[in-house]
Amino acid sequence: MKPAAGEYSPYFDRYISRIETDTVLPVLHEQLTTLKTLFHGLGEARAGFRYAPEKWSVREVVGHLIDTERVFGFRALWIARRADSPLPGFEQDDFVRAAAHDACGVDSLLAEFTSVREGHLHMLQHLPSAAWTRVGTAGGHPLSVRAAAFIMAGHVAHHIAEFHSRYGFAAT
């Protein structure tokens, strides 16, 4: 089931609302194929494209997807395992600046995202059903395991839409 409003910060409605189903695991899996299709034959010159001077390059966006996937996957694990300590916030711009993703090949970045996502899929598939509704604190707000999974899926969906609308990728 989709998470209830009190299971996450209202900021994340923008991602969770992009997922039209109550079953998130198939969406998380399908996004791997969507991204592979989207980036097939992209080339490094195109991977450096920025739609505006201060905006992220395609490579930086893919790196951001990796970082966000890791952060929310860890948050899901932390909360699922009943760790009581609140987790810190996550400043995406600081992460992107520190990562130097533009120095990486886009195919390598996509392979890294795939590896991280596949690991999270295995983790989520093996969680006991009761773990999905556990709520912890991340960035000063409540976060359930299922909300973290829906945010991961919705975040990727958001950036896929951005690749089409802002980066000029052909619709699939």
Side-chain angles (χ1 to χ4, degrees):
M1 297 293 295
K2 273 192 165 183
E7 294 178 39
Y8 57 91
S9 166
Y11 172 83
F12 294 115
D13 279 333
R14 63 191 297 203
Y15 300 132
I16 293 172
S17 66
R18 289 183 172 272
I19 308 305
E20 297 177 359
T21 179
D22 284 341
T23 310
V24 73
L25 292 177
V27 176
L28 290 166
H29 181 54
E30 289 164 11
Q31 286 176 336
L32 291 172
T33 302
T34 301
L35 287 173
K36 286 177 188 173
T37 301
L38 193 64
F39 288 101
H40 179 74
L42 179 66
E44 291 306 321
R46 181 82 172 105
F49 174 76
R50 299 168 191 274
Y51 67 87
E54 297 299 316
K55 297 301 181 178
W56 296 340
S57 70
V58 172
R59 280 188 293 265
E60 287 173 322
V61 174
V62 177
H64 164 68
L65 291 176
I66 296 165
D67 288 346
T68 303
E69 185 81 8
R70 282 194 168 109
V71 168
F72 278 90
F74 179 74
R75 287 175 172 181
L77 175 67
W78 188 261
I79 295 164
R81 300 295 193 256
R82 298 179 189 252
D84 292 334
S85 306
L87 293 164
F90 161 57
E91 178 45 58
Q92 63 184 14
D93 291 319
D94 292 344
F95 271 54
V96 169
R97 274 191 296 277
H101 292 301
D102 258 341
C104 302
V106 69
D107 290 340
S108 177
L109 290 167
L110 185 57
E112 183 177 352
F113 177 82
T114 299
S115 178
V116 172
R117 172 59 66 89
E118 287 174 345
H120 289 147
L121 279 165
H122 287 293
M123 174 191 69
L124 293 167
Q125 288 167 345
H126 295 117
L127 289 178
S129 59
W132 283 86
T133 56
R134 289 187 187 130
V135 178
T137 303
H141 298 278
L143 182 69
S144 69
V145 173
R146 68 181 170 187
F150 273 87
I151 290 166
M152 290 185 329
H155 180 254
V156 169
H158 163 77
H159 283 289
I160 288 170
E162 292 276 305
F163 283 131
H164 295 305
S165 67
R166 296 188 184 266
Y167 290 84
F169 283 50
T172 50

